[in-house]
Amino acid sequence: IQKMMHENEQVPDIEKLELREFNLDLEEQEQAQAEAEEDVARARTESEMEILFYCYLQDLIKYECWDVMCVKERAVKCFHMNCQVSNYPLKERSKEELEILKKALQSKRTETADLKAQKKNLETDSETALSDEEGEKAAAEVADDGAPHCLSGSLSSQYGGNTFILYHQCDLHTKEQKLNQTILLKDIIYKVKTAFNEEFDTVVQQKEQEIARVKERNLKIQEILEQLELQVEVWEPVLTDDEMPERALTVQDSEIKAEKYMTQEEKEQAEMLAKLEMERRLAATDDERLRALDDMMGGVLEIRREDILKMDIPPPSFISRPEDLWTEEEKKTFDEYEKNVKELNEGKEEYRQFLRNEWKKLEASIKETTQNFDEIVCKLSEKKLKSEMVIYQEELKIVNLIYTLLLDEELDTREAGLHKFLMKKKKEKSLEDCFIKQFADIPDDLLEELLQLYKHRPETPRTETFLDAANPYVKGSAENYQDALSLLMKAMDELDSPEHMPSGLNQSVWKRFCLARRNKMKSEELVKWKSLALTEMQACHQRRVDENEKMKLKEEKMKLQQNLTVQFLLKQGQVELESTEIPDYSDAVLIDRSVVEELNCSLAAQGEKKITAMVEYKDFSKGIIQLEWEHKKMKMQIQDLKEKARDIVILPISKDCQLFLTMQNYDTHIAHHLAGMEQSLGVMDKLHKKNVKNHQKKVRELKKCIRLKEQANYELSLQLKEMLVSVSERMHIFEAADTRDISEKITRQRYQEILKQKYLRNLIREQEKELTILQLEYGIWKPRKRHIVQKSESREGWAAH
């Protein structure tokens, strides 16, 4: 066995044998490992890039939807209703936006001051003035509507928006005014949202306060349930993720399902904190005074009302004996014991009923306050709906203004495009194309030189032209035309001389070119003289046409600028429509208010006349009906008097009636009775005052006890501070010793020894099995006991080793 054990020690490691046996090709192994490492690195890089992408996307979404917002989006919900109201998320306005708004306001103030100055000048220059009645009427119109001519078109002034800074809807004619109006409308929308958010924040604070109150009351309910020993689930409201959106950005420990990784330092710190907490608990529980107080009096020095449920009256010692053997004194003691038990049970039941009533009151109070808060949230929801209506009204104004601006821009763009197209077509009109087609067989260099000569015009002396008296539009006559043509031909003779011919050009081609040029000059001169009258007439006609078109364009632009889209507020139910379709207001006319009021005044006058006639008719018929009613009334009175007389005859007389009828001084009797009642009330008053004095005395004694307790607590706090100082000194001494490293080293050594012993035991067990197999194979049975002894000895030797 020792030899086999020695051989076993020489056996190499199993893992090394497996590597040598199965990993014969080391190059392929290294190549496979390198490929695996490359795959792992690539997968790690892809996962890191994917994580980086999602992190960037998360930061981008958080920045756009959370960080940029000066007012984060959140909601407030009802406690018992399915009603939820959210605020308006707002971004902080940049300096550029505020500067643009400031410029728009300054422009509006300047225009307003200018208009006021113009109106003042007009009023001073005008000779007519309004009468006192018309002035009062105009002032009433301004006071009622807030504007002298038309409505403002929105209700934003009632929800935090200042509409006095806006332009009048009928005064928006220029592009700058419309742009400034859109900027001011956006500012009003922002103010409306800000005003609603302030009210929303107030409601959110109310809900947080209400939840805190409910939690306080729930603590009282829990105490009551513990005293009543009841297991009832208590309703406790909590804020949802919509009401606390910042909760979605933080990860709670409860959301992480994986085990938390802790470093060695964190483990040591956690162990130290747990140890300190255990020592604190031991120090808190190791108080002889507290333990004695718990043992003797249940932790209190005086019996409180809350402790009545814990009280128990111990039965007398003789209750185990039969009743026949009790003495008279023991019977009296037992009767007193039963009486005390009965009184204690009644007190317990009374206190339980008091606790139940208190429980019901707390639940009713919680329900009432939460329902009141739900009503506040419902009102806030209505306010949100109206605020959205106001915002949509202002946005509708902005859309209409932007539409008009785009329409003006489109018209200007189309006008500029048409003008550019016309100029392009005029430039394309030329005679060069005809000349190039006629001399297409000439080389390009000679063609270019001939083209310059073709464009060259000889200098001719100017001739004075006189207007024809018969036709003022025609300049010159036929004789003037012939003189000018002869002068032109003489100038052409000089140009047609061979010395001006380009080098390399054929003589026949030059003659053909000169002939073509002469014909061109003749035709141009003829066209020039023939088109003078036509040109003048066309120019005059064109001037008139252009002026007419300009006037039409100006009229269209003026109509477009004056045709404004004005927004009005109509009360629901005032207009009845035959169909549900939206009516067509294309032919609608804006009528002045004075016209409508005059018509209303005439209608009101006619209506008053009709009402007067109807009142007269009604009064006449009313008189007839009143006489008939008085007649019926008299008949019923007669019948009633007859029934009363019949009742008086058979009327039964009670004791009070008899007393009233028989007694001469009934009032004095009543006065004596009242005096007795007042005397009894005085006695009860004195008794109440006496009881109040006794209770005040008890209160003073209790305050005195409280002061003694406070003094004792102060002394105990001083002792506690001294004890804490001593404990901290001992902790510092223990930390200075620092025997933790030595104990860890010893523990590690013992653990290694245990592993080695375990390995040796497993090795001995395997060798025993092999030895048994060898014995069976060679038939060795007799010396089995000796082998067993040697195995046990060797095992003990190995264990000792």
Side-chain angles (χ1 to χ4, degrees):
I1 290 172
Q2 291 178 356
K3 183 179 179 182
M4 292 172 66
M5 290 169 64
H6 181 68
E7 292 176 354
N8 288 332
E9 289 178 356
Q10 302 299 326
V11 173
D13 195 358
I14 298 173
E15 295 179 357
K16 295 180 180 179
L17 285 173
E18 290 178 353
L19 289 173
R20 292 177 183 174
E21 183 176 356
F22 297 104
N23 297 330
L24 298 177
D25 195 345
L26 297 178
E27 293 181 357
E28 289 185 0
Q29 179 187 358
E30 291 176 355
Q31 185 178 359
Q33 289 178 355
E35 291 177 356
E37 289 176 357
E38 289 179 358
D39 294 338
V40 170
R42 185 172 59 256
R44 184 181 290 108
T45 305
E46 291 176 357
S47 62
E48 288 177 355
M49 293 301 295
E50 186 177 0
I51 292 169
L52 183 61
F53 168 73
Y54 285 119
C55 290
Y56 172 74
L57 185 61
Q58 173 196 354
D59 294 338
L60 185 62
I61 295 172
K62 183 175 178 291
Y63 177 78
E64 291 291 336
C65 302
W66 185 262
D67 296 337
V68 180
M69 298 292 178
C70 62
V71 178
K72 273 72 174 178
E73 184 178 4
R74 62 184 303 178
V76 61
K77 294 183 178 180
C78 295
F79 288 109
H80 306 289
M81 298 170 61
N82 188 14
C83 181
Q84 177 177 343
V85 183
S86 59
N87 64 344
Y88 291 105
L90 296 176
K91 292 183 179 180
E92 188 174 1
R93 291 191 282 189
S94 61
K95 294 182 180 179
E96 291 79 7
E97 293 176 352
L98 295 175
E99 190 66 26
I100 292 170
L101 177 62
K102 186 178 179 181
K103 290 180 180 179
L105 288 172
Q106 187 65 30
S107 176
K108 174 63 173 60
R109 293 193 190 101
T110 305
E111 292 183 9
T112 304
D114 189 15
L115 287 174
K116 286 182 179 178
Q118 291 179 6
K119 288 180 180 179
K120 188 175 181 181
N121 294 331
L122 289 173
E123 287 175 359
T124 55
D125 295 338
S126 63
E127 296 179 357
T128 58
L130 291 172
S131 62
D132 296 336
E133 295 178 358
E134 291 177 352
E136 292 177 359
K137 186 176 180 182
E141 290 177 4
V142 174
D144 292 338
D145 298 336
H149 299 295
C150 65
L151 298 174
S152 60
S154 68
L155 299 173
S156 56
S157 59
Q158 301 177 8
Y159 297 93
N162 184 11
T163 56
F164 293 103
I165 63 175
L166 294 176
Y167 289 90
H168 201 280
Q169 291 191 95
C170 296
D171 295 338
L172 297 172
H173 300 300
T174 63
K175 182 178 180 181
E176 290 76 12
Q177 288 177 344
K178 293 175 183 177
L179 289 174
N180 292 338
Q181 185 80 334
T182 56
I183 294 168
L184 297 176
L185 288 172
K186 289 178 181 179
D187 180 60
I188 287 176
I189 292 172
Y190 190 87
K191 289 179 179 178
V192 170
K193 291 182 178 180
T194 304
F196 178 79
N197 286 343
E198 291 176 357
E199 188 172 353
F200 178 83
D201 294 338
T202 304
V203 176
V204 170
Q205 292 177 1
Q206 289 181 3
K207 182 165 186 180
E208 292 175 355
Q209 294 173 0
E210 195 62 39
I211 289 175
R213 293 193 195 99
V214 171
K215 288 182 179 179
E216 291 178 1
R217 292 168 185 167
N218 284 340
L219 291 175
K220 296 180 182 179
I221 292 173
Q222 290 288 354
E223 293 176 359
I224 292 172
L225 293 175
E226 288 177 0
Q227 292 179 6
L228 293 175
E229 297 180 354
L230 295 176
Q231 298 292 333
V232 179
E233 186 177 357
V234 181
W235 175 72
E236 186 170 350
V238 294
L239 295 175
T240 61
D241 292 340
D242 294 334
E243 295 173 309
M244 294 185 67
E246 57 272 6
R247 188 189 297 171
L249 301 176
T250 57
V251 181
Q252 303 294 334
D253 293 338
S254 59
E255 298 178 2
I256 301 174
K257 297 181 180 180
E259 186 178 358
K260 185 177 180 181
Y261 173 76
M262 297 177 66
T263 60
Q264 188 65 27
E265 295 178 356
E266 292 176 348
K267 290 180 180 179
E268 293 176 358
Q269 188 176 2
E271 291 176 358
M272 186 182 296
L273 292 174
K275 191 174 182 181
L276 291 174
E277 182 67 19
M278 183 62 70
E279 290 178 357
R280 188 186 64 78
R281 289 182 180 177
L282 291 174
T285 55
D286 192 10
D287 194 344
E288 295 180 356
R289 182 177 178 278
L290 292 175
R291 283 190 282 108
L293 189 63
D294 289 334
D295 293 339
M296 290 189 297
M297 309 187 71
V300 293
L301 294 175
E302 295 179 359
I303 298 175
R304 299 172 298 178
R305 189 182 181 188
E306 292 83 359
D307 300 331
I308 191 171
L309 298 177
K310 300 177 183 178
M311 291 175 61
D312 246 341
I313 300 175
S317 59
F318 57 85
I319 197 170
S320 59
R321 291 184 296 167
E323 295 183 3
D324 299 337
L325 302 178
W326 291 355
T327 62
E328 293 295 330
E329 186 176 357
E330 289 176 348
K331 289 180 179 179
K332 291 179 180 180
T333 305
F334 183 74
D335 293 339
E336 187 176 357
Y337 164 72
E338 288 183 343
K339 183 180 179 182
N340 293 333
V341 169
K342 185 177 180 182
E343 291 177 355
L344 180 62
N345 291 333
E346 290 176 355
K348 287 182 178 181
E349 187 61 32
E350 183 181 356
Y351 184 66
R352 287 194 186 96
Q353 188 63 33
F354 169 75
L355 292 177
R356 293 191 190 98
N357 294 335
E358 191 70 19
W359 179 17
K360 291 180 181 178
K361 287 180 182 178
L362 290 172
E363 286 185 341
S365 176
I366 291 171
K367 188 175 181 181
E368 182 181 0
T369 54
T370 52
Q371 286 178 352
N372 292 335
F373 178 79
D374 290 349
E375 293 178 359
I376 294 172
V377 175
C378 291
K379 291 180 181 178
L380 184 66
S381 177
E382 295 176 0
K383 184 72 174 292
K384 176 70 178 296
L385 183 62
K386 292 180 180 178
S387 299
E388 289 182 352
M389 178 187 68
V390 169
I391 292 169
Y392 291 153
Q393 290 171 356
E394 303 298 346
E395 288 178 350
L396 180 60
K397 288 183 185 179
I398 294 172
V399 169
N400 289 328
L401 290 173
I402 292 173
Y403 173 73
T404 55
L405 289 171
L406 291 175
L407 186 61
D408 293 340
E409 186 177 356
E410 184 180 358
L411 291 175
D412 294 339
T413 306
R414 289 176 64 185
E415 183 180 359
L418 291 173
H419 181 71
K420 185 177 179 181
F421 181 74
L422 179 62
M423 297 302 294
K424 181 180 178 181
K425 289 299 181 182
K426 285 182 178 180
K427 288 180 181 180
E428 290 178 355
K429 188 176 181 181
S430 179
L431 297 173
E432 295 179 1
D433 296 338
C434 298
F435 177 78
I436 293 171
K437 290 179 181 178
Q438 188 177 1
F439 294 94
D441 54 346
I442 299 174
D444 293 338
D445 53 351
L446 294 174
L447 181 64
E448 186 68 25
E449 189 174 357
L450 287 176
L451 183 59
Q452 292 179 0
L453 293 173
Y454 187 77
K455 292 180 180 179
H456 182 66
R457 187 175 183 85
E459 295 182 0
T460 57
R462 293 184 179 181
T463 58
E464 295 182 359
T465 58
F466 300 96
L467 293 174
D468 191 359
N471 190 359
Y473 296 102
V474 178
K475 292 183 179 181
S477 59
E479 295 176 356
N480 294 331
Y481 168 68
Q482 292 297 331
D483 294 338
L485 183 62
S486 62
L487 291 173
L488 181 63
M489 289 298 107
K490 288 178 181 179
M492 289 300 296
D493 291 338
E494 184 180 355
L495 292 176
D496 291 342
S497 61
E499 60 185 13
H500 294 289
M501 183 178 65
S503 60
L505 186 65
N506 193 1
Q507 186 69 27
S508 60
V509 176
W510 173 250
K511 290 180 180 181
R512 185 159 53 92
F513 169 74
C514 292
L515 182 61
R517 186 167 59 180
R518 280 177 176 273
N519 293 332
K520 171 181 172 289
M521 291 300 174
K522 288 180 181 180
S523 63
E524 286 181 355
E525 191 70 20
L526 181 61
V527 170
K528 174 183 176 183
W529 283 89
K530 291 293 185 183
S531 62
L532 283 175
L534 181 61
T535 303
E536 283 294 325
M537 288 187 289
Q538 286 180 350
C540 183
H541 180 265
Q542 188 64 33
R543 284 196 299 270
R544 298 296 181 267
V545 171
D546 292 342
E547 290 175 0
N548 190 18
E549 288 181 355
K550 286 181 180 178
M551 291 299 294
K552 286 182 179 179
L553 185 60
K554 287 182 179 179
E555 288 179 359
E556 289 180 0
K557 285 188 176 180
M558 289 297 293
K559 286 181 181 179
L560 183 62
Q561 291 178 353
Q562 296 295 331
N563 188 14
L564 301 176
T565 301
V566 182
Q567 184 170 319
F568 294 95
L569 291 179
L570 299 177
K571 293 183 180 180
Q572 297 293 329
Q574 295 296 319
V575 180
E576 295 183 0
L577 300 177
E578 297 179 356
S579 62
T580 58
E581 297 180 356
I582 299 174
D584 184 14
Y585 293 108
S586 60
D587 57 347
V589 180
L590 185 62
I591 303 173
D592 191 75
R593 189 188 182 102
S594 59
V595 178
V596 179
E597 287 182 352
E598 289 177 1
L599 180 61
N600 290 338
C601 289
S602 62
L603 290 174
Q606 296 296 327
E608 287 178 357
K609 290 181 181 179
K610 184 177 180 181
I611 290 170
T612 304
M614 292 176 68
V615 168
E616 290 177 358
Y617 175 75
K618 185 185 70 173
D619 292 339
F620 185 76
S621 60
K622 184 179 179 182
I624 297 172
I625 294 170
Q626 189 173 1
L627 291 174
E628 290 178 354
W629 183 81
E630 288 179 357
H631 182 66
K632 289 181 181 179
K633 178 184 175 183
M634 290 178 180
K635 285 184 178 181
M636 294 175 71
Q637 284 178 351
I638 292 168
Q639 187 177 0
D640 190 28
L641 290 172
K642 288 180 180 178
E643 290 179 357
K644 285 182 180 179
R646 193 182 305 112
D647 292 338
I648 289 170
V649 174
I650 60 173
L651 180 66
I653 301 173
S654 62
K655 291 183 179 180
D656 292 336
C657 294
Q658 291 176 2
L659 184 64
F660 177 74
L661 294 172
T662 55
M663 288 190 67
Q664 295 180 356
N665 298 324
Y666 182 75
D667 295 335
T668 56
H669 175 73
I670 297 298
H672 285 306
H673 183 65
L674 291 174
M677 292 177 69
E678 289 177 354
Q679 187 177 3
S680 61
L681 285 173
V683 173
M684 293 171 68
D685 230 355
K686 290 179 182 179
L687 183 61
H688 175 68
K689 289 180 180 179
K690 185 178 178 181
N691 292 332
V692 168
K693 288 181 180 179
N694 293 332
H695 284 91
Q696 288 177 352
K697 185 178 179 181
K698 289 181 180 179
V699 167
R700 286 194 293 271
E701 291 176 356
L702 291 172
K703 288 183 177 178
K704 185 177 179 181
C705 293
I706 289 169
R707 286 195 294 272
L708 294 173
K709 296 292 183 184
E710 289 177 350
Q711 186 176 1
N713 289 335
Y714 178 71
E715 293 175 357
L716 289 173
S717 65
L718 294 176
Q719 294 177 7
L720 179 61
K721 288 181 180 178
E722 293 176 357
M723 294 173 69
L724 289 173
V725 170
S726 62
V727 169
S728 64
E729 289 176 355
R730 292 182 181 179
M731 284 298 299
H732 288 309
I733 293 168
F734 176 73
E735 290 176 355
D738 197 9
T739 59
R740 192 184 296 108
D741 295 336
I742 299 171
S743 60
E744 288 181 354
K745 185 176 181 181
I746 295 170
T747 304
R748 200 179 298 110
Q749 290 177 358
R750 291 179 179 175
Y751 180 70
Q752 294 294 333
E753 290 179 359
I754 291 169
L755 291 177
K756 185 182 267 186
Q757 290 180 6
K758 184 177 179 182
Y759 173 74
L760 292 174
R761 290 194 189 97
N762 293 332
L763 187 62
I764 291 170
R765 195 177 294 111
E766 292 176 357
Q767 289 181 357
E768 286 178 355
K769 289 180 181 178
E770 292 177 358
L771 185 60
T772 305
I773 292 168
L774 291 172
Q775 288 176 356
L776 291 173
E777 288 178 355
Y778 292 100
I780 302 172
W781 293 96
K782 292 181 180 180
R784 183 175 181 82
K785 293 182 179 179
R786 182 172 58 82
H787 288 304
I788 292 170
V789 173
Q790 288 180 355
K791 281 194 291 184
S792 62
E793 290 176 355
S794 62
R795 184 184 302 172
E796 291 173 357
W798 276 100
H801 179 70

